[in-house]
Amino acid sequence: MSTPRFRRPASLSLADQDLLPGEPDPATSTDLAHRSAEALVAQVRQSADDEVVRRVVALAQTEGLDDLAALWSTSPAGTLPGALWRLYVLHAWVQRDPEDVVRRYREGSRTVPGLRYLAGLSEPPDVPSVRRTLDQILRGAFTGDLAMALGRAAAVLMLVSYGTAHLADAEPDPRRQGELTGEAGRLLSTGEELAVAARLEEAGDLS
């Protein structure tokens, strides 16, 4: 048996991604997105093998976000592939640049402390705990309560967005201030999308 070939993940930052749905895909692509997402979730839930779960959590690292993007990135957030895509991008950002996420999260948690309990990060948050928590959230999306996983990810993103806005307010460079303000808006939008997806899943309407 040949050794699996692992590729370095694409250098994508959540703050740099336009995660809003794009132009509608052809029906065949939409069907492929839904079928692949449903198959992935079903494979994990039907398996008692922790190695399967580990490989699914690490999918973005082993296969690359570009491959997942080809399948899911244009799916609306209120669908299973769209919600999973957003979870994987957040997870990949945290694994790649956890110090930046922690810095933004800490700033945001001072603004809306109530969201910290939903996010479930340790206090005070640090790099190991943030990475561990995002692993737990992604695992939970496949092995536990998907609605809860989506809600926790939404809380993390909202806190990070508020923190990014605070950093923008304190930034003396107008150009960088504008960049951070734009990032804050995109992060908040994606967090709100995941919160909606969580409610849809609770109602049994996430498809």
Short mmCIF file of all heavy atoms in Angstrom, two decimals, residues 144-174:
data_model
loop_
_atom_site.label_atom_id
_atom_site.label_comp_id
_atom_site.label_asym_id
_atom_site.label_seq_id
_atom_site.Cartn_x
_atom_site.Cartn_y
_atom_site.Cartn_z
N GLY A 144 -20.39 14.87 18.16
CA GLY A 144 -21.27 15.26 19.25
C GLY A 144 -22.46 16.06 18.78
O GLY A 144 -23.23 15.63 17.92
N ASP A 145 -22.59 17.25 19.33
CA ASP A 145 -23.71 18.13 19.05
C ASP A 145 -23.27 19.17 18.03
O ASP A 145 -22.54 20.11 18.38
CB ASP A 145 -24.17 18.78 20.35
CG ASP A 145 -25.45 19.57 20.20
OD1 ASP A 145 -25.71 20.09 19.09
OD2 ASP A 145 -26.18 19.70 21.19
N LEU A 146 -23.70 19.03 16.78
CA LEU A 146 -23.27 19.96 15.74
C LEU A 146 -23.74 21.37 16.04
O LEU A 146 -23.00 22.33 15.82
CB LEU A 146 -23.80 19.50 14.38
CG LEU A 146 -23.53 20.42 13.18
CD1 LEU A 146 -22.05 20.69 13.01
CD2 LEU A 146 -24.14 19.83 11.91
N ALA A 147 -24.97 21.52 16.53
CA ALA A 147 -25.47 22.85 16.85
C ALA A 147 -24.61 23.53 17.90
O ALA A 147 -24.31 24.72 17.80
CB ALA A 147 -26.92 22.76 17.32
N MET A 148 -24.21 22.78 18.92
CA MET A 148 -23.36 23.36 19.96
C MET A 148 -22.00 23.75 19.40
O MET A 148 -21.46 24.81 19.73
CB MET A 148 -23.17 22.37 21.11
CG MET A 148 -22.31 22.92 22.24
SD MET A 148 -22.13 21.74 23.62
CE MET A 148 -23.82 21.73 24.22
N ALA A 149 -21.45 22.90 18.54
CA ALA A 149 -20.15 23.21 17.93
C ALA A 149 -20.23 24.49 17.10
O ALA A 149 -19.34 25.35 17.18
CB ALA A 149 -19.68 22.05 17.06
N LEU A 150 -21.28 24.63 16.33
CA LEU A 150 -21.46 25.83 15.52
C LEU A 150 -21.65 27.06 16.40
O LEU A 150 -21.11 28.14 16.11
CB LEU A 150 -22.65 25.67 14.58
CG LEU A 150 -22.52 24.60 13.49
CD1 LEU A 150 -23.84 24.40 12.77
CD2 LEU A 150 -21.42 24.97 12.51
N GLY A 151 -22.40 26.92 17.49
CA GLY A 151 -22.61 28.03 18.40
C GLY A 151 -21.32 28.46 19.08
O GLY A 151 -21.07 29.66 19.25
N ARG A 152 -20.51 27.50 19.48
CA ARG A 152 -19.22 27.84 20.11
C ARG A 152 -18.30 28.54 19.12
O ARG A 152 -17.64 29.53 19.47
CB ARG A 152 -18.55 26.58 20.65
CG ARG A 152 -19.26 25.94 21.83
CD ARG A 152 -18.49 24.73 22.33
NE ARG A 152 -17.20 25.13 22.91
CZ ARG A 152 -16.26 24.25 23.26
NH1 ARG A 152 -16.43 22.96 23.04
NH2 ARG A 152 -15.12 24.69 23.79
N ALA A 153 -18.24 28.04 17.89
CA ALA A 153 -17.41 28.68 16.88
C ALA A 153 -17.89 30.09 16.60
O ALA A 153 -17.08 31.01 16.41
CB ALA A 153 -17.41 27.85 15.60
N ALA A 154 -19.21 30.27 16.58
CA ALA A 154 -19.77 31.61 16.36
C ALA A 154 -19.34 32.56 17.47
O ALA A 154 -18.98 33.71 17.21
CB ALA A 154 -21.29 31.53 16.29
N ALA A 155 -19.36 32.09 18.72
CA ALA A 155 -18.96 32.93 19.84
C ALA A 155 -17.49 33.31 19.75
O ALA A 155 -17.11 34.46 20.01
CB ALA A 155 -19.24 32.20 21.16
N VAL A 156 -16.64 32.34 19.38
CA VAL A 156 -15.22 32.64 19.21
C VAL A 156 -15.02 33.71 18.15
O VAL A 156 -14.29 34.70 18.36
CB VAL A 156 -14.44 31.36 18.83
CG1 VAL A 156 -13.00 31.71 18.44
CG2 VAL A 156 -14.43 30.36 19.98
N LEU A 157 -15.69 33.56 17.02
CA LEU A 157 -15.53 34.53 15.94
C LEU A 157 -16.04 35.91 16.31
O LEU A 157 -15.42 36.93 15.97
CB LEU A 157 -16.27 34.03 14.69
CG LEU A 157 -15.48 33.08 13.79
CD1 LEU A 157 -16.39 32.46 12.76
CD2 LEU A 157 -14.33 33.81 13.12
N MET A 158 -17.15 35.97 17.03
CA MET A 158 -17.69 37.27 17.42
C MET A 158 -16.73 37.98 18.38
O MET A 158 -16.47 39.18 18.24
CB MET A 158 -19.06 37.10 18.05
CG MET A 158 -20.15 36.72 17.06
SD MET A 158 -21.75 36.48 17.84
CE MET A 158 -22.74 35.92 16.45
N LEU A 159 -16.19 37.24 19.34
CA LEU A 159 -15.24 37.85 20.27
C LEU A 159 -13.97 38.31 19.54
O LEU A 159 -13.44 39.39 19.82
CB LEU A 159 -14.89 36.86 21.38
CG LEU A 159 -15.99 36.64 22.42
CD1 LEU A 159 -15.67 35.45 23.30
CD2 LEU A 159 -16.19 37.90 23.26
N VAL A 160 -13.51 37.49 18.61
CA VAL A 160 -12.33 37.88 17.83
C VAL A 160 -12.63 39.11 16.98
O VAL A 160 -11.79 40.00 16.82
CB VAL A 160 -11.87 36.70 16.95
CG1 VAL A 160 -10.81 37.15 15.95
CG2 VAL A 160 -11.30 35.58 17.82
N SER A 161 -13.85 39.20 16.46
CA SER A 161 -14.21 40.37 15.64
C SER A 161 -14.24 41.64 16.49
O SER A 161 -13.76 42.68 16.06
CB SER A 161 -15.56 40.14 14.96
OG SER A 161 -16.64 40.25 15.88
N TYR A 162 -14.81 41.55 17.70
CA TYR A 162 -14.83 42.72 18.58
C TYR A 162 -13.41 43.13 18.96
O TYR A 162 -13.09 44.32 19.01
CB TYR A 162 -15.65 42.42 19.83
CG TYR A 162 -17.11 42.17 19.57
CD1 TYR A 162 -17.80 41.16 20.25
CD2 TYR A 162 -17.82 42.90 18.62
CE1 TYR A 162 -19.14 40.91 20.00
CE2 TYR A 162 -19.16 42.65 18.37
CZ TYR A 162 -19.82 41.66 19.07
OH TYR A 162 -21.14 41.41 18.82
N GLY A 163 -12.57 42.14 19.22
CA GLY A 163 -11.19 42.45 19.54
C GLY A 163 -10.46 43.10 18.38
O GLY A 163 -9.66 44.02 18.57
N THR A 164 -10.75 42.63 17.17
CA THR A 164 -10.14 43.23 15.98
C THR A 164 -10.57 44.68 15.82
O THR A 164 -9.77 45.55 15.45
CB THR A 164 -10.53 42.42 14.73
OG1 THR A 164 -10.13 41.06 14.91
CG2 THR A 164 -9.85 42.97 13.48
N ALA A 165 -11.84 44.96 16.13
CA ALA A 165 -12.33 46.34 16.05
C ALA A 165 -11.62 47.22 17.07
O ALA A 165 -11.29 48.38 16.77
CB ALA A 165 -13.84 46.36 16.29
N HIS A 166 -11.37 46.69 18.27
CA HIS A 166 -10.64 47.47 19.28
C HIS A 166 -9.21 47.75 18.82
O HIS A 166 -8.69 48.86 19.02
CB HIS A 166 -10.62 46.71 20.61
CG HIS A 166 -11.92 46.77 21.34
ND1 HIS A 166 -12.58 47.95 21.60
CD2 HIS A 166 -12.68 45.79 21.89
CE1 HIS A 166 -13.69 47.69 22.26
NE2 HIS A 166 -13.78 46.39 22.44
N LEU A 167 -8.58 46.76 18.23
CA LEU A 167 -7.23 46.96 17.72
C LEU A 167 -7.22 48.01 16.61
O LEU A 167 -6.27 48.79 16.49
CB LEU A 167 -6.66 45.63 17.21
CG LEU A 167 -6.38 44.56 18.27
CD1 LEU A 167 -5.99 43.24 17.61
CD2 LEU A 167 -5.29 45.03 19.23
N ALA A 168 -8.28 48.02 15.82
CA ALA A 168 -8.38 49.03 14.76
C ALA A 168 -8.48 50.42 15.37
O ALA A 168 -7.85 51.38 14.88
CB ALA A 168 -9.60 48.75 13.88
N ASP A 169 -9.26 50.56 16.44
CA ASP A 169 -9.42 51.88 17.08
C ASP A 169 -8.09 52.40 17.63
O ASP A 169 -7.87 53.60 17.66
CB ASP A 169 -10.44 51.78 18.23
CG ASP A 169 -11.85 51.57 17.71
OD1 ASP A 169 -12.11 51.86 16.53
OD2 ASP A 169 -12.69 51.09 18.50
N ALA A 170 -7.24 51.45 18.08
CA ALA A 170 -5.97 51.85 18.68
C ALA A 170 -4.84 51.94 17.66
O ALA A 170 -3.71 52.32 18.03
CB ALA A 170 -5.59 50.86 19.78
N GLU A 171 -5.10 51.63 16.42
CA GLU A 171 -4.06 51.60 15.38
C GLU A 171 -3.79 53.01 14.85
O GLU A 171 -4.69 53.68 14.35
CB GLU A 171 -4.50 50.68 14.24
CG GLU A 171 -3.57 50.64 13.05
CD GLU A 171 -2.17 50.23 13.42
OE1 GLU A 171 -2.00 49.17 14.04
OE2 GLU A 171 -1.23 51.00 13.09
N PRO A 172 -2.54 53.49 14.96
CA PRO A 172 -2.22 54.85 14.49
C PRO A 172 -2.11 54.97 12.97
O PRO A 172 -2.28 56.06 12.41
CB PRO A 172 -0.88 55.15 15.16
CG PRO A 172 -0.25 53.81 15.37
CD PRO A 172 -1.37 52.87 15.63
N ASP A 173 -1.83 53.87 12.29
CA ASP A 173 -1.66 53.90 10.84
C ASP A 173 -3.03 53.83 10.18
O ASP A 173 -3.73 52.80 10.30
CB ASP A 173 -0.79 52.72 10.40
CG ASP A 173 -0.55 52.68 8.90
OD1 ASP A 173 -1.05 53.59 8.19
OD2 ASP A 173 0.10 51.75 8.42
N PRO A 174 -3.47 54.86 9.47
CA PRO A 174 -4.81 54.85 8.86
C PRO A 174 -5.04 53.67 7.92
O PRO A 174 -6.14 53.12 7.88
CB PRO A 174 -4.86 56.19 8.12
CG PRO A 174 -3.88 57.05 8.83
CD PRO A 174 -2.77 56.13 9.26
#
